[in-house]
Amino acid sequence: MSDFRQLKPSPRIRLGPGPSDVHPRVLTALANPLVGHLDPQFLEIMNETQELLRQTYRTNNRLTFPVSGTGSAGM
């Protein structure tokens, strides 16, 4: 069995579009176990996200939902 050590790259400045550096809190969140799209907890999270989006966009439209994509897809 191999002994794997944790990858800890030094901080870098990325010169791509938008702020690219990832906050340590985000990295910690990404280390949590995944929740599948059919999991009841995922549905709760999605319902909450939909409600927050409705509040953000000041709409009552039930078809308000997040769609993943690149920044260009949002445009």
Side-chain angles (χ1 to χ4, degrees):
M1 212 186 265
S2 298
D3 180 30
F4 294 102
R5 60 186 177 86
Q6 187 174 359
L7 180 62
K8 293 183 181 181
S10 59
R12 292 186 169 41
I13 296 177
R14 291 168 183 82
L15 300 176
S20 298
D21 290 337
V22 179
H23 192 277
R25 221 174 99 199
V26 173
L27 293 175
T28 301
L30 289 171
N32 287 323
L34 297 176
V35 176
H37 70 285
L38 298 176
D39 189 300
Q41 187 177 14
F42 177 85
L43 297 176
E44 290 174 22
I45 293 168
M46 181 60 105
N47 288 337
E48 181 182 350
T49 301
Q50 285 180 291
E51 183 55 39
L52 291 171
L53 284 172
R54 285 187 202 102
Q55 290 175 22
T56 300
Y57 293 112
R58 297 180 182 176
T59 183
N60 292 321
N61 189 333
R62 299 293 300 160
L63 296 177
T64 304
F65 58 92
V67 176
S68 62
T70 64
S72 296
M75 293 171 43

